[in-house]
């Protein structure tokens, strides 16, 4: 997929998130939780799933993952209104700190996916 840079990908099913409020405190920043809370109720789970896959993709690319003690997922913030952006992770991890992230079209309805690579 990429010979000269690190990449990360995540694909999740909507079934993984029955209620976004269960996972949000561990995954989202307070700003992201406020944005999710302001959305219509019917859109919140899908929006949370997009945030989750974006965070997991960039942390996987950095060799960390959501469970890493070095970078709490809530410290990596994403907007909900764009399908592509650059994001930073703390440089103290020893990994590249600038990443590009894009939503990807999942193979099945009800899924969300993201791809991250070194900027």
């Amino acid at each position: 997929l990429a010979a000269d840079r690190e990449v990360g990908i995540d694909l999740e099913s909507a079934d993984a998130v029955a209620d976004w409020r269960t996972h949000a405190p561990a995954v989202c920043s307070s700003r992201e939780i406020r944005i999710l809370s302001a959305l219509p109720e019917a859109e919140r789970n899908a929006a949370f799933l997009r945030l989750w896959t974006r965070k997991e993709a960039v942390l996987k690319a950095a060799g960390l993952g959501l469970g890493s003690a070095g970078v709490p997922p809530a410290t990596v913030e994403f907007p909900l209104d764009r399908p592509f952006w650059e994001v930073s992770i703390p440089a103290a991890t020893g990994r590249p700190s600038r990443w590009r992230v894009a939503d990807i079209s999942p193979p099945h309805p009800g899924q969300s996916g993201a791809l991250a690579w070194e900027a």
Side-chain angles (χ1 to χ4, degrees):
L1 187 62
D4 62 345
R5 66 190 65 229
E6 298 296 325
V7 297
I9 190 166
D10 190 52
L11 181 67
E12 300 286 345
S13 171
D15 298 339
V17 182
D19 182 9
W20 71 276
R21 290 174 287 239
T22 304
H23 304 286
V27 176
C28 297
S29 70
S30 58
R31 182 174 94 47
E32 289 169 332
I33 290 173
R34 284 193 305 276
I35 291 168
L36 288 167
S37 297
L39 293 174
E41 183 68 35
E43 296 176 22
R44 292 177 188 166
N45 277 353
F48 172 77
L49 195 61
R50 284 193 306 276
L51 284 174
W52 181 342
T53 57
R54 293 168 183 177
K55 289 172 186 258
E56 185 127 18
V58 76
L59 292 174
K60 283 178 178 178
L64 300 168
L66 282 181
S68 173
V71 180
T75 64
V76 181
E77 285 193 329
F78 289 97
L80 288 172
D81 60 347
R82 288 182 285 159
F84 172 84
W85 54 95
E86 284 196 16
V87 66
S88 294
I89 62 170
T93 63
R95 309 278 198 234
S97 61
R98 300 289 304 163
W99 299 88
R100 291 191 173 135
V101 183
D103 292 336
I104 57 173
S105 296
H108 302 289
Q111 292 181 325
S112 182
L115 173 68
W117 63 98
E118 285 181 62

